[in-house]
Every structure is written in structure tokens, then in C-alpha cells.
Amino acid sequence: MENSKSVIKTIDIVQISLMAAITFIATSVIHIPTFMGVLHLGDSMVFLSAIIFGRKKSAVASAVGMCLFDLISGYTLWAPFTFVIKGLMGYIAGTIAYRKDYNGNNIKNNIFAFVVAGIWMIAAYYVGGAIILTFISKEFALKQALIISLKDIPTNIIQVIGGIALSLPLIAALKRKIG
């Protein structure tokens, strides 16, 4: 659960590192290349970490795990975008899940948190794709890039829905085990 102290403890480093590794593995094991990106199971681990470890640890683990996938799997151009997008995705999910007195224990609120974080991710990758096509690869004018980047939105929607569907039973099982 989220620690309110700003001191980093050994257990925090271990938890973040382990979750980053698990996120990387979930992203790597089953992934399907899409037009400009990849469809994977890693979002389920972003959501899981947001509930089990809270927003700060989830943000770091999600950013590192997903960025590592991009760096190792040939999506290097996406790595800086992924680091920010997935880090904020974990932070958003954790922030909403722990608002009020929910403490990540209200399933409806958790689903709401995942949907909002997923919308962030979908919108941010859309903009990221347009930026890459326009300013980095310089293949298209911005207007064309905005149209072309629409192609990955359906895949990202599927990824978020799959991430939510996979994370919910995992969260329930882990919460029963760790109390």
C-alpha cells in the first residue's frame, strides 16, 4: 500500500524493481505489433501495481518496465513517450483508486480509475504518434500525422479493456493473500 513518507526504503526499491520486471515480462511475453506500436498485456500490470503499491510506486514501475520493453524490443523511438505515458498512467490509476477513503478497495472506483488512466494512455499515444510522424521521422505534415495516428486507437482501446479484465481477478486474488 502507498507509503506517505518521502523516505525511500529498501523494501520500496525491491517492490518497484520487482513490479517493473513483472510489467516488462507481461509486455514482452505476448505482444502483437500494430501499425505504429504493439498490443500487449502490460497494462494489466500497470493497473495491478496502482492498487497493490499505490500511485508513486506504480508510476515508477510502470514507466521503467514499459520503457525497458521499448528499448529492448526495437521500439526505441517510443521509449521516452512510453516512460512518461505509462508512468502517468500508473500515477493516475493509483491517485483515483486511493482517493477519499477507498484505499484501492472499491472495485467500481478502481474500474473508474483504470478507465480514466486508459483514456489518458490512448490520447497520449495518439498525440505521441503524431509527434513522431511529424517532427521526429518527418514523414508527414501534422494534419496527415493526426489522421494516420488514429489507426492505433482501436488497438489501444482493446489493450486497456484487456488490461482491466485481466487485472481485476489478479487484484482480488492478491488482496485476499496479502490482506
Side-chain angles (χ1 to χ4, degrees):
M1 304 304 158
E2 185 149 347
N3 187 348
S4 62
K5 296 180 183 178
S6 61
V7 176
I8 297 175
K9 298 178 182 174
T10 303
I11 188 70
D12 297 330
I13 295 169
V14 170
Q15 289 172 338
I16 291 167
S17 300
L18 182 59
M19 200 65 229
I22 291 169
T23 302
F24 169 77
I25 291 167
T27 307
S28 299
V29 171
I30 299 175
H31 66 275
I32 302 163
T34 62
F35 172 66
M36 288 178 54
V38 62
L39 175 66
H40 57 76
L41 300 176
D43 286 357
S44 64
M45 297 301 109
V46 173
F47 299 144
L48 176 78
S49 67
I51 301 304
I52 301 301
F53 296 118
R55 66 182 178 206
K56 292 177 186 176
K57 290 179 187 178
S58 177
V60 176
S62 300
V64 170
M66 294 282 196
C67 185
L68 185 60
F69 170 80
D70 281 355
L71 292 171
I72 291 174
S73 302
Y75 296 95
T76 311
L77 198 57
W78 284 98
F81 293 93
T82 294
F83 188 86
V84 172
I85 293 167
K86 294 298 183 168
L88 284 172
M89 184 180 180
Y91 193 86
I92 291 166
T95 298
I96 295 171
Y98 278 82
R99 70 191 174 113
K100 298 182 182 179
D101 292 328
Y102 291 131
N103 296 321
N105 293 320
N106 183 301
I107 191 161
K108 288 181 184 178
N109 187 61
N110 291 349
I111 292 169
F112 174 68
F114 301 161
V115 168
V116 172
I119 291 169
W120 151 256
M121 186 269 297
I122 293 163
Y125 272 119
Y126 168 70
V127 171
I131 289 170
I132 287 173
L133 289 172
T134 303
F135 301 108
I136 298 173
S137 70
K138 298 182 182 183
E139 294 179 44
F140 300 96
L142 181 59
K143 187 175 180 179
Q144 292 172 310
L146 289 169
I147 293 168
I148 293 167
S149 293
L150 290 170
K151 289 184 178 182
D152 273 332
I153 289 177
T155 306
N156 284 332
I157 291 170
I158 291 167
Q159 185 170 293
V160 169
I161 292 169
I164 293 169
L166 185 57
S167 68
L168 291 174
L170 290 172
I171 290 165
L174 283 172
K175 282 199 169 257
R176 278 194 301 274
K177 287 289 183 187
I178 61 176

